[in-house]
Amino acid sequence: MNSIFLATPELIWKKAKLSVPFSESNEYAERYFFKMMENLKEKFDISHCIFVGENREVDYTEKTKNFIDKYFIDDCSIEKIAGKLLLSNDKVYILDSEILKLENSWENQLFEVNYKVNHSIEYNQYVGYKLQSNYLNRDDITKTFILKAEENNQIKILNSSYQNIEELNELENNDLNYKLDLDDYKYEVLGKKKIRTEKIESAESLSEVLSKVQSKIYFKCLYDGEKAYYGTPVSMAFGIDDLEIMYYTDFSLVLGNAEFEKLMVNSSIGKYGHHIKDDLILLKKENIEVVNLMGDSMIAAYILDPSIDDYGIDYIAQNYLDEKISSEEELLGKGKQKKCYRDIEDIELEKYLVSYVSVIARVQDKLEEKMKDLGMEQLYFDIELPLVEVLADMEYEGISVDREGLKKLNDEFGSVIIGLKSSIYLLAGREFNINSPKQLGEVLFEEIGLPVIKKTKTGYSTNAEVLDKLLDKHEIIPMILEYRKLSKLVSTYVDGLQDLIDDNGKIHSSFNQAITTTGRISSTQPNLQNIPVRTKEGRLIRKVFVPTEGRKLVDADYSQIELRVLAHISKDENLQRAYLENEDIHTKTAAEVFFVKPDAVTDNQRRVAKAVNFGIVYGISDFGLSRDLKISLKEAKTYIDAYLNLYSRVDEYMGEIIATAKEQGYVETIFGRRRYIPELSASNKNIQSFGERIALNTPIQGSAADIIKLAMVKVYKSLKEKGLKSKLVLQVHDELIIDATEDEIEVVQNLLKKEMEQVLKLDIPLDVDMKAGDSWYETK
């Protein structure tokens, strides 16, 4: 009996390329491609290989193309070949295309499908196995596998007459030269249900359908506009319970519909969506609350693989259902030619939105099963899914901005910028465009005569790295750097904030849950995470963020959460003792590194120790530390060695986590958040080193991100349960900010301290710094 695999080769090549980032050539992808082939051949004892599909122009390497061409049948579908092979005594393996995701461990379940054949064979089953990451280096693969990797997962009904299997002779493989007549064979897919679509055109019809919901509703609302808070709703599609029918309706019919509002607040009905935060915000604007959120396919896909750039519904369909549906870009276009949903013909919009919701409904079980297999259920159901509601509420509430304070800040910064420009012109001997790299390069390197550090195609490089190296060469350099810093602050936050303030004096930043690979929340329009906190000017920008009239801002900030997580994970006794005895960790480290008593530690020594303490978390090297502190490599190495000698268990942990990452291909946080690190398998040493830094940092930073997220969920829930009017309005890194009524400040502070410090039991306590004030600036 033969063991055969079938593949659409360009999809395997896509995985190989995705698995080796940073490669400008295909050299690394080729190596990974052949490792995949060898792994599967070894694991399943494969005797034959068939490649099928359209012979597309793909950027294969020559070696890869020659290998594929040897076993390639042009213009022939997987279904056609698989159907024939199933009639023989061969064992046929079909692998789900989830392997195309960026996962080193390859722990994907093989696709299992039952067929009913109305002939002598009752059924054929595609047997499921699990792949293991047994990496082999042999490239001389001659026979390998069948991959189920077409765009559409639905095996077509094979009712047409086929030619004899002799057409497979192109494989130059006599073992496949079967003499079978397939004319009488017919196949059908079991369990595939056709879903009807119905357009609802009256409020009465909508109410009638919604009154029938028993346990689940899958839905999506479309809106025109850049973000949900300012969006104009257009239409909605939904499916209920067993999904016999998908419904489509204009959003105007939803507004004021009592049955819909009752359904949304019904805690016994599960609500499912994709990027459902936007839907919650749209409905919140119409005073419609959504209770019992049970699934968000975007969030589930994100925690399963945080390395993807875009978790659009088309990505979900392709990677979890093997189906091709239109993306938003394909429907609307992009750039200046991008259309609004209102511009799309209703029949086309209905088809798009119904397909969208159909994917949401059918993918839930697959996503939940995979999360269960990977031990991510707590991460999803206790942290990420309830966080969607928290972020939707924060985005809807917004935070107040002092318009007059912003104008005053603009004037102050503007005066400083004018003064800097005058000083720069005086030192340069003439006026020029400081923002022009070409003109600035001419002034610095031709007229002033500073040493050239780096050249570009158009002239001299004047980026920050270059100017930093010239800092002590001429007094014009620090002025240019200061000018750039202030100009960026003004354009990004002073001018930028002015454009984002609504009629209520608030800005509504978008909080992004599925972007960072570490699990951190990010924000856009504006990006509140990047406001500088170490510079005077950056701190002044915090002055313009104020509470609602008659309220105070209460800020709660985790103290050194990443170092505390490191102490917990590494089990280092010295590090843990410092926190248990409430010592100043930076002073303690400085005293040990510089061999002085704690009360003799200078400010500079503490600064160095602080840089080492936090640098270790990010896998800093002696080169990186010397650059950051502007000290010699020898000094930097001495400080790092002294640190690792003091906290020896941290040193051991660092070696262990890198070894574990190389062995299993990923690292995890305390809550099981997983990050895959293909960089560790790269032959390039610089890429490997980058992968090692990821392995060191992710469990620490990712665990800290999980803790702050869980704290947000608990704080939000507690505020609601106590019936408080105070609102959680902002999260930045390790701090939470609540817009609190005057009479609730003490209650809010006690609530924050309790929920944040008791959110997770570590070997050492979590500690929260808290302060209230009339601006964000005053709380720090």
Side-chain angles (χ1 to χ4, degrees):
M1 184 173 71
N2 299 305
S3 295
I4 309 170
F5 274 72
L6 181 68
T8 302
E10 59 266 24
L11 294 181
I12 312 167
W13 182 244
K14 175 186 174 184
K15 169 172 174 58
K17 295 194 71 174
L18 282 173
S19 300
V20 192
F22 309 112
S23 173
E24 294 182 0
S25 69
N26 289 328
E27 172 192 355
Y28 299 114
E30 177 187 282
R31 295 178 188 176
Y32 202 83
F33 178 90
F34 282 107
K35 282 183 181 180
M36 290 167 63
M37 304 300 103
E38 182 63 27
N39 190 1
L40 293 166
K41 170 178 170 285
E42 175 91 1
K43 191 68 183 174
F44 304 119
D45 192 25
I46 302 306
S47 58
H48 298 86
C49 168
I50 306 173
F51 288 116
V52 297
E54 299 176 11
N55 196 359
R56 302 177 185 174
E57 289 295 325
V58 180
D59 60 340
Y60 302 119
T61 61
E62 184 177 357
K63 182 177 180 180
T64 307
K65 187 176 186 305
N66 291 339
F67 173 74
I68 292 171
D69 286 347
K70 185 175 181 181
Y71 304 105
F72 193 82
I73 303 177
D74 195 8
D75 196 25
C76 191
S77 71
I78 283 180
E79 289 84 355
K80 188 172 182 180
I81 301 299
K84 297 172 183 178
L85 295 175
L86 281 169
L87 296 177
S88 70
N89 291 322
D90 295 320
K91 180 182 286 187
V92 179
Y93 295 113
I94 295 185
L95 185 63
D96 191 293
S97 66
E98 286 185 19
I99 194 176
L100 300 177
K101 295 181 65 183
L102 186 55
E103 295 188 18
N104 274 9
S105 61
W106 293 10
E107 293 175 351
N108 297 301
Q109 190 73 30
L110 290 185
F111 193 57
E112 189 172 305
V113 181
N114 288 334
Y115 289 87
K116 182 164 52 178
V117 184
N118 60 349
H119 197 42
S120 60
I121 305 174
E122 289 187 17
Y123 70 90
N124 294 276
Q125 188 174 57
Y126 287 33
V127 185
Y129 287 87
K130 279 194 174 181
L131 294 170
Q132 305 297 326
S133 51
N134 300 323
Y135 295 114
L136 302 174
N137 295 320
R138 290 179 53 196
D139 288 348
D140 55 335
I141 315 299
T142 55
K143 300 168 184 175
T144 183
F145 64 112
I146 295 186
L147 242 183
K148 171 65 182 77
E150 275 211 327
E151 288 182 342
N152 194 330
N153 186 37
Q154 181 182 2
I155 307 296
K156 298 173 185 175
I157 298 175
L158 305 176
N159 287 335
S160 59
S161 298
Y162 295 139
Q163 300 174 9
N164 285 348
I165 202 76
E166 288 177 338
E167 67 183 344
L168 300 181
N169 286 345
E170 293 181 42
L171 292 174
E172 301 176 1
N173 192 327
N174 293 328
D175 290 335
L176 290 178
N177 189 14
Y178 301 115
K179 299 292 184 181
L180 296 175
D181 187 352
L182 306 182
D183 287 354
D184 296 328
Y185 289 88
K186 294 183 179 181
Y187 294 74
E188 62 179 339
V189 178
L190 300 181
K192 180 68 177 178
K193 183 186 296 184
K194 184 168 179 60
I195 301 174
R196 291 192 295 113
T197 300
E198 182 177 308
K199 184 176 180 181
I200 297 176
E201 299 189 87
S202 71
E204 293 75 19
S205 297
L206 179 62
S207 296
E208 182 182 351
V209 170
L210 293 174
S211 67
K212 298 176 182 178
V213 181
Q214 298 295 312
S215 61
K216 300 175 183 177
I217 180 169
Y218 310 89
F219 69 100
K220 186 63 187 176
C221 307
L222 293 184
Y223 65 90
D224 283 327
E226 288 189 22
K227 55 197 301 185
Y229 183 80
Y230 299 108
T232 303
V234 176
S235 56
M236 184 180 81
F238 64 95
I240 61 176
D241 299 328
D242 58 3
L243 293 176
E244 289 186 354
I245 304 175
M246 294 294 297
Y247 300 95
Y248 172 82
T249 187
D250 191 274
F251 195 84
S252 61
L253 295 182
V254 176
L255 300 180
N257 188 291
E259 197 65 45
F260 181 78
E261 293 178 12
K262 185 172 78 173
L263 178 67
M264 288 293 108
V265 297
N266 188 334
S267 60
S268 65
I269 305 296
K271 317 304 188 304
Y272 298 82
H274 179 88
H275 197 3
I276 203 169
K277 174 170 72 82
D278 277 1
D279 303 276
L280 300 186
I281 294 169
L282 285 173
L283 295 174
K284 194 179 285 285
K285 287 171 60 182
E286 305 300 334
N287 296 315
I288 301 173
E289 185 181 3
V290 179
V291 174
N292 196 24
L293 178 59
M294 290 296 292
D296 186 324
S297 50
M298 182 187 80
I299 300 303
Y302 164 67
I303 70 170
L304 286 171
D305 186 350
S307 64
I308 306 302
D309 291 333
D310 183 3
Y311 297 91
I313 198 67
D314 52 312
Y315 164 82
I316 303 296
Q318 178 70 66
N319 284 272
Y320 291 95
L321 298 176
D322 282 339
E323 294 182 7
K324 167 67 177 175
I325 70 168
S326 296
S327 66
E328 178 186 301
E329 185 177 299
E330 289 171 330
L331 180 72
L332 302 180
K334 60 181 180 179
K336 294 181 179 180
Q337 305 301 317
K338 185 176 180 179
K339 301 177 182 177
C340 294
Y341 284 114
R342 285 287 184 197
D343 299 331
I344 305 299
E345 289 188 18
D346 199 50
I347 186 76
E348 190 178 353
L349 197 59
E350 177 182 340
K351 180 181 177 182
Y352 168 77
L353 194 50
V354 164
S355 297
Y356 194 121
V357 178
S358 174
V359 171
I360 293 173
R362 292 180 293 116
V363 81
Q364 294 299 323
D365 289 345
K366 285 179 178 288
L367 292 169
E368 289 184 21
E369 183 179 347
K370 184 160 188 185
M371 285 187 288
K372 183 178 180 181
D373 289 343
L374 297 177
M376 292 180 170
E377 288 178 294
Q378 182 189 13
L379 177 65
Y380 181 61
F381 288 108
D382 292 352
I383 300 178
E384 294 289 0
L385 196 55
L387 184 67
V388 174
E389 182 183 345
V390 180
L391 296 180
D393 196 66
M394 287 168 55
E395 196 165 324
Y396 175 79
E397 287 296 328
I399 186 168
S400 297
V401 177
D402 178 5
R403 288 181 186 271
E404 289 302 314
L406 197 59
K407 184 178 182 303
K408 181 180 178 182
L409 202 59
N410 189 37
D411 293 340
E412 290 177 5
F413 284 174
S415 297
V416 177
I417 288 173
I418 290 171
L420 284 169
K421 287 175 71 173
S422 298
S423 298
I424 290 169
Y425 294 155
L426 186 63
L427 291 169
R430 67 178 179 89
E431 291 188 8
F432 66 100
N433 185 355
I434 305 171
N435 298 317
S436 165
K438 185 175 185 299
Q439 292 185 36
L440 180 60
E442 290 171 354
V443 168
L444 296 181
F445 304 113
E446 294 179 7
E447 298 173 23
I448 295 179
L450 293 175
V452 176
I453 305 296
K454 183 181 177 181
K455 281 196 170 186
T456 65
K457 292 180 180 179
T458 57
Y460 307 100
S461 174
T462 59
N463 63 26
E465 184 181 356
V466 167
L467 295 187
D468 195 49
K469 291 178 180 178
L470 296 172
L471 202 54
D472 60 348
K473 303 296 183 183
H474 197 282
E475 57 186 319
I476 197 175
I477 301 298
M479 290 186 178
I480 292 170
L481 289 172
E482 184 69 12
Y483 168 83
R484 283 183 174 179
K485 180 183 70 176
L486 275 179
S487 297
K488 184 176 181 180
L489 282 176
V490 168
S491 62
T492 304
Y493 292 108
V494 181
D495 294 340
L497 289 176
Q498 290 279 14
D499 298 334
L500 296 172
I501 303 173
D502 69 4
D503 294 339
N504 297 317
K506 291 185 174 184
I507 62 166
H508 301 265
S509 180
S510 295
F511 297 101
N512 309 308
Q513 194 176 349
I515 288 183
T516 68
T517 51
T518 58
R520 288 276 190 186
I521 298 169
S522 68
S523 66
T524 50
Q525 295 182 303
N527 181 354
L528 301 177
Q529 310 280 354
N530 279 359
I531 296 176
V533 295
R534 295 181 182 177
T535 65
K536 175 188 173 183
E537 294 79 13
R539 289 191 293 271
L540 286 175
I541 289 175
R542 293 189 172 207
K543 277 191 173 183
V544 304
F545 292 94
V546 296
T548 308
E549 188 175 352
R551 297 190 176 203
K552 298 276 188 182
L553 291 183
V554 178
D555 184 297
D557 193 350
Y558 275 119
S559 173
Q560 301 173 354
I561 188 171
E562 291 183 350
L563 291 180
R564 291 172 187 268
V565 169
L566 175 62
H568 172 80
I569 292 179
S570 69
K571 308 298 181 188
D572 186 276
E573 292 182 2
N574 277 340
L575 196 54
Q576 289 190 354
R577 188 182 304 114
Y579 283 114
L580 290 171
E581 296 177 0
N582 203 27
E583 295 182 71
D584 183 315
I585 192 66
H586 303 317
T587 299
K588 175 182 173 63
T589 302
E592 297 288 347
V593 168
F594 291 102
F595 304 103
V596 297
K597 292 181 179 180
D599 57 4
V601 170
T602 65
D603 289 344
N604 186 61
Q605 287 171 335
R606 188 180 184 279
R607 180 180 69 88
V608 170
K610 184 176 181 179
V612 176
N613 279 331
F614 285 111
I616 290 295
V617 172
Y618 291 87
I620 198 167
S621 63
D622 49 4
F623 174 78
L625 187 63
S626 69
R627 179 196 59 211
D628 292 348
L629 294 178
K630 294 181 172 53
I631 57 177
S632 68
L633 281 172
K634 184 178 180 180
E635 282 181 285
K637 187 177 187 308
T638 300
Y639 296 152
I640 291 176
D641 288 346
Y643 174 95
L644 296 177
N645 183 57
L646 172 62
Y647 305 117
S648 57
R649 181 65 195 115
V650 171
D651 192 20
E652 292 173 7
Y653 162 75
M654 290 166 65
E656 290 166 2
I657 194 65
I658 289 173
T660 299
K662 287 181 177 178
E663 179 182 351
Q664 62 188 19
Y666 62 86
V667 291
E668 290 181 314
T669 68
I670 294 172
F671 289 94
R673 184 185 302 278
R674 188 176 290 195
R675 182 176 179 181
Y676 297 95
I677 315 176
E679 294 87 348
L680 292 172
S681 300
S683 59
N684 184 297
K685 295 299 181 184
N686 290 331
I687 296 176
Q688 277 188 32
S689 295
F690 176 68
E692 290 176 1
R693 290 195 296 276
I694 292 174
L696 290 172
N697 168 245
T698 299
I700 310 300
Q701 191 179 28
S703 293
D706 292 343
I707 289 170
I708 191 72
K709 282 181 170 180
L710 184 56
M712 292 172 71
V713 171
K714 289 185 175 294
V715 167
Y716 176 80
K717 183 179 179 182
S718 187
L719 287 170
K720 289 187 72 174
E721 287 176 347
K722 291 181 183 297
L724 300 179
K725 297 177 182 178
S726 301
K727 291 284 189 177
L728 179 61
V729 293
L730 195 57
Q731 181 272 337
V732 177
H733 303 309
D734 304 324
E735 62 182 301
L736 300 183
I737 300 171
I738 289 183
D739 188 35
T741 60
E742 294 273 6
D743 60 328
E744 292 178 353
I745 290 176
E746 185 176 352
V747 175
V748 165
Q749 288 179 323
N750 291 334
L751 182 153
L752 281 167
K753 188 169 183 65
K754 176 188 173 184
E755 299 296 354
M756 292 178 72
E757 292 186 347
Q758 297 179 16
V759 69
L760 178 68
K761 185 172 177 55
L762 301 178
D763 292 343
I764 45 93
L766 292 171
D767 186 53
V768 172
D769 297 325
M770 197 140 34
K771 194 174 179 182
D774 290 323
S775 70
W776 189 10
Y777 176 87
E778 287 187 12
T779 66
K780 301 307 293 178

